[in-house]
């Protein structure tokens, strides 16, 4: 099935600041475009009715609802341990959150099955830092975090769904993240076939 490519599936709204609008204009070659469509289709297959809503968090100080670009603009560049963003209206710092929901019977939300999963929305620098730590910490390294069981609950789920949100935003193929969900290799070579 062809992936749905509008904001209703992933809840990514149109950008406002010119510097962030570039994500909509990222041009990719045909083979990458095929991987993007494949990855989004496989994600939708695993998580039917998937909705990743990154544009509905409100500032706890002034109650302003922040769009995705507001959250991104408030991140501190290159800060590996700072999970906060800055509200563009009142300038207070807080930890932004996003929600993930799916009708899949195996999807586990924050309050159990059939509920949304609420995750901290982490900057790419924090995601990279946490992913590197997770790979180093796990005995099987990258293969461990690609395993579908690894992404269930807690920090692992937050990290995995942040990677998905960033991959979708910046038009990176999701097939690597989905590698452990299918018996066949989605990426060649797969991580287990690469010599150390």
């Amino acid at each position: 099935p062809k992936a749905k490519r509008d904001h209703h599936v992933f809840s990514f709204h149109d950008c406002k600041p010119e510097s962030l609008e570039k994500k909509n204009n990222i041009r990719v070659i045909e083979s990458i475009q095929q991987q993007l469509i494949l990855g989004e289709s496989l994600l939708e297959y695993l998580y039917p009715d998937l909705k990743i809503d990154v544009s509905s968090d409100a500032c706890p100080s002034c109650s302003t609802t922040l769009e995705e670009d507001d959250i991104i603009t408030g991140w501190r560049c290159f800060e590996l341990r700072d999970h906060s963003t800055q509200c563009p209206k009142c300038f207070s710092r807080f930890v932004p959150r996003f929600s993930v929901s799916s009708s899949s019977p195996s999807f586990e939300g924050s309050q159990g099955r059939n509920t949304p999963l609420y995750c901290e929305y982490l900057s790419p620098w924090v995601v990279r830092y946490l992913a590197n730590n997770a790979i180093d910490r796990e005995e099987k390294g990258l293969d461990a975090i690609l395993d579908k069981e690894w992404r269930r609950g807690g920090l692992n789920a937050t990290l995995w769904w942040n990677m998905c949100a960033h991959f979708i935003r910046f038009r990176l193929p999701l097939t690597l993240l989905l590698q452990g969900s299918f018996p066949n290799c989605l990426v060649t070579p797969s991580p287990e076939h690469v010599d150390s």
Side-chain angles (χ1 to χ4, degrees), residues 98-116:
F98 69 96
S99 66
V100 182
S101 58
S102 170
S103 63
S104 170
S106 64
F107 183 80
E108 190 80 26
S110 297
Q111 303 293 317
R113 298 205 190 285
N114 299 319
T115 65

Side-chain angles (χ1 to χ4, degrees), residues 14-86:
D14 291 333
C15 295
K16 291 178 182 159
E18 186 178 313
S19 63
L20 297 174
E21 280 185 16
K22 293 178 184 177
K23 76 162 182 134
N24 293 328
N25 298 323
I26 297 173
R27 299 177 93 185
V28 295
I29 60 174
E30 186 177 336
S31 60
I32 298 297
Q33 181 65 29
Q34 290 171 352
Q35 287 296 310
L36 290 169
I37 292 169
L38 174 64
E40 290 174 6
S41 296
L42 293 173
L43 190 63
E44 179 70 21
Y45 172 78
L46 291 172
Y47 301 100
D49 305 313
L50 178 66
K51 182 177 180 187
I52 301 174
D53 187 358
V54 295
S55 293
S56 63
D57 200 16
C59 173
S61 296
C62 69
S63 300
T64 298
T65 301
L66 275 67
E67 294 289 325
E68 180 184 25
D69 293 334
D70 297 326
I71 294 169
I72 290 170
T73 302
W75 284 330
R76 291 183 174 143
C77 296
F78 308 110
E79 292 292 331
L80 305 180
R81 292 185 176 97
D82 184 3
H83 294 207
S84 68
T85 191
Q86 184 176 37

